[in-house]
Amino acid sequence: MAGHVAKHDGPEVHYSAGDEKLFSKVSWKLLPLLTICYLIAFLDRVNIGYAQLQMKQTLPWSDEVYALGAGIFFIGYFLFEVPSNLMLEKIGARATLLRIMFCWGIVAAGMAYVETPTTFYILRFLLGVFEAGFFPGVILYLTYWYPGARRAKAIATFMTGATIAYLIAGPLCGAILKYMNGLGGLHGWQWLFITQGLPASMLGIFAFFYLKNKPEDASWLTADEKARLRHHIEHDAHAVAGASHGSLLALIRDPKIFLLSIIYALALGATYAMVFWAPTLVRSWGVADLFLVGILTAIPALCALIVMVLVGRSSDRHNERRWHYLFCTVLGLAGTAIAALSQGNLILSLFGLAVLSMGQSASTPVFFAAVSEYLPKKTAAGGIALVSSLGNLGPAVMPWITTRINTITGTPAASLYLVGAMWITAGILLMLLIRPAAEAKLLPARA
C-alpha cells in the first residue's frame, strides 16, 4: 500500500505506509518541543518592538536608539553562529540547546533593568551571542532525522513556532504592557522581558533531558525503525543540484554559499523590518490602545500560520523548492504594495499585512530545505550556519535603515516599498541560482 509520493521537478520518492507512520512518530517526539523553544526564542528577539511603545515613556531615547538596539542583536548572532553549529556537531543537540537557551533566558530577563543606551546595546548584543546557533542548529538537527523529501514540512512545522509567537506576541505583549504596568513597582515593559525571558532557561534544562542527539540514541525507536530511518537518510534524493564540498575551506570558496546568504539577508532583513515596525505601523493608523494594537497585529500571523504549513507540505509533495520560494516572495511584494497604498484604510492595510505575513512566514522553511539539500552532509553543519550567519546581517541593519527612511519621510509606510523590493529580489535570485534536479542531470557530475 503506497503512502507519500514526492514528484514533480525532482525525482520521485516513494514511502510505504510503515515509513509514513515512522516519520509521524519522529515528528510527534521532536517537533512539539522544538516548536515551543522557537516560539520563546522569537518572542525574546522581537518583543522589543512592543516594549518600545511603553519604554519611550520612561526611557525617552530616540527611535534610532531602539532601532540600533534591535539590530545589534544580529551582530552578536552573526559572530557566534558558525562556531555554535560546529560545536553542536561535536557535543550534540542536547548540550547545545541547554547552553544556548539557559544563557539567553537570563540575558532576556535582564533586559528589564536597562537604564542607559549603553547597557541596552550590550544586553541586546549578548542576547544575539547566546542565541546564536539555535535556529541553524535545529535545522542541522532535523537533517539527522528526516530525508530531504520530508524536510520542508518538518522545518515548516518547527517554524510555526515563530508564526505562533507572532500570533500571540501582540495580544500577550499588549496585555502585559497594559495590565501589569505598576505591578510590584515595575513598569509593564519590565514585566514583558522577565515573563518572556525566564521560560527559555527552564525549557533549555527540559530539552537536555528529553531530546536524543541522533536516531541511534532514541530508546523510543525499535531497531528496525532505526535501520529504516538511517536507510532513507543515507539514500536521500534531492530536488536540487547538490554541492560536492570536500572541506569547510571548499565550502567557503563556493560562491553559491555567499549568494544564498545574500538571498537570506534580503528576506530576513525585510522580515525583521516589518516585525520591528508593525506595532508602530498599526498605531499610526489611529489605534491608540496598546492591547488593541497587539490584537490587530495578531490577525496577519493567524493567516500566515495556515499558509506556512500548506506551502511546506506542497513543496515536499512536489519535491520542488524554487517556484514555491518565488511564490512566497511574490506574496511579500504584493502585501507590502497593498499596505503602502492603502494608508488610512484600516481593513485594507491589515489585509496587506496579512498577505505579507503569509509570504514571509512560508518562505524560510522552503529556503532552508533547499539549502540543506544543496549542501553535502560533511559540510552541512558549517554551511547551514554560514548561510544563516551571513544572512543575519540583513536584520542587523534594516531596522536602522527603515527608521531613517521613516524619519525623513514622516511616515512608517515609506519603508514598505524597500521591503517589497527586497522580497522580489530574493525570489528572483534563488530562481537563477539553484537548478532543479531534472536540469542538473544533464550536466557533467562534479568530482
Side-chain angles (χ1 to χ4, degrees):
M1 177 177 173
H4 172 87
V5 179
K7 56 184 181 179
H8 195 56
D9 284 347
E12 291 189 4
V13 181
H14 298 268
Y15 294 123
S16 68
D19 290 332
E20 286 293 319
K21 186 176 180 181
L22 173 59
F23 291 130
S24 178
K25 184 177 182 179
V26 170
S27 295
W28 278 109
K29 279 289 183 179
L30 302 183
L31 295 179
L33 176 60
L34 294 175
T35 300
I36 293 171
C37 290
Y38 195 42
L39 185 157
I40 297 296
F42 196 82
L43 278 178
D44 284 336
R45 68 171 67 175
V46 306
N47 56 17
I48 183 63
Y50 295 92
Q52 65 158 335
L53 298 177
Q54 192 179 74
M55 289 176 75
K56 292 174 181 176
Q57 300 170 15
T58 54
L59 299 173
W61 305 330
S62 67
D63 284 344
E64 282 78 6
V65 170
Y66 288 100
L68 183 58
I72 281 178
F73 166 90
F74 295 97
I75 301 298
Y77 203 95
F78 162 72
L79 293 174
F80 288 86
E81 195 161 17
V82 173
S84 178
N85 233 35
L86 294 177
M87 187 180 297
L88 181 147
E89 208 172 29
K90 293 181 181 297
I91 68 176
R94 297 165 64 245
T96 299
L97 288 181
L98 174 63
R99 171 185 61 81
I100 288 174
M101 297 191 69
F102 186 83
C103 293
W104 109 48
I106 298 300
V107 172
M111 286 286 296
Y113 302 99
V114 297
E115 295 181 348
T116 66
T118 300
T119 55
F120 176 55
Y121 296 150
I122 290 173
L123 286 180
R124 285 292 295 181
F125 176 80
L126 289 176
L127 186 63
V129 168
F130 289 128
E131 195 182 318
F134 173 77
F135 176 78
V138 172
I139 300 301
L140 175 65
Y141 182 61
L142 292 178
T143 67
Y144 300 158
W145 297 84
Y146 295 94
R150 292 300 298 243
R151 207 168 288 158
K153 182 181 176 181
I155 295 173
T157 303
F158 159 66
M159 288 197 64
T160 58
T163 309
I164 295 171
Y166 194 47
L167 174 64
I168 67 173
L172 180 61
C173 294
I176 293 173
L177 292 174
K178 183 175 181 178
Y179 297 112
M180 295 187 71
N181 192 33
L183 182 64
L186 297 177
H187 299 290
W189 64 266
Q190 292 177 298
W191 281 115
L192 181 62
F193 290 125
I194 293 171
T195 57
Q196 295 181 6
L198 294 181
S201 297
M202 294 184 283
L203 271 174
I205 296 173
F206 179 77
F208 178 77
F209 292 102
Y210 179 83
L211 292 176
K212 301 300 180 184
N213 286 328
K214 292 186 177 181
E216 291 79 8
D217 304 327
S219 59
W220 42 270
L221 287 175
T222 66
D224 176 66
E225 288 172 332
K226 292 177 183 179
R228 282 192 289 132
L229 198 59
R230 179 55 52 196
H231 172 80
H232 285 305
I233 293 172
E234 290 180 350
H235 296 81
D236 204 352
H238 292 160
V240 294
S244 57
H245 306 121
S247 65
L248 189 60
L249 181 60
L251 173 76
I252 295 173
R253 289 174 176 170
D254 183 355
K256 277 192 176 182
I257 295 298
F258 295 97
L259 290 173
L260 286 168
S261 301
I262 291 173
I263 293 169
Y264 190 48
L266 289 169
L268 200 61
T271 295
Y272 278 96
M274 291 309 303
V275 167
F276 180 72
W277 274 111
T280 302
L281 188 63
V282 172
R283 204 173 192 184
S284 73
W285 299 336
V287 183
D289 185 274
L290 292 179
F291 183 59
L292 184 55
V293 168
I295 293 293
L296 291 177
T297 55
I299 295 174
L302 179 61
C303 302
L305 183 63
I306 300 170
V307 173
M308 181 182 188
V309 175
L310 292 177
V311 170
R313 183 180 299 170
S314 173
S315 180
D316 275 348
R317 185 170 62 250
H318 295 102
N319 211 11
E320 197 283 324
R321 311 303 182 196
R322 300 159 71 244
W323 287 102
H324 282 79
Y325 188 77
L326 182 64
F327 170 74
C328 294
T329 60
V330 169
L331 284 181
L333 174 62
T336 53
I338 294 169
L341 297 173
S342 60
Q343 293 301 301
N345 186 322
L346 179 60
I347 301 300
L348 197 54
S349 296
L350 272 178
F351 174 72
L353 282 185
V355 174
L356 167 61
S357 296
M358 293 176 197
Q360 70 185 22
S361 295
S363 66
T364 307
V366 176
F367 175 78
F368 273 101
V371 172
S372 68
E373 292 168 358
Y374 172 72
L375 296 169
K377 293 177 183 177
K378 54 193 170 185
T379 53
I384 292 171
L386 183 60
V387 171
S388 180
S389 178
L390 293 174
N392 272 280
L393 292 178
V397 298
M398 275 304 293
W400 184 85
I401 291 174
T402 52
T403 298
R404 292 299 302 162
I405 293 174
N406 296 340
T407 300
I408 293 171
T409 60
T411 171
S415 56
L416 287 172
Y417 296 107
L418 174 61
V419 170
M422 292 169 69
W423 272 119
I424 195 60
T425 302
I428 293 172
L429 283 177
L430 188 73
M431 287 291 295
L432 296 174
L433 181 62
I434 295 183
R435 300 186 306 274
E439 179 184 333
K441 289 180 180 178
L442 301 176
L443 299 177
R446 285 174 289 182

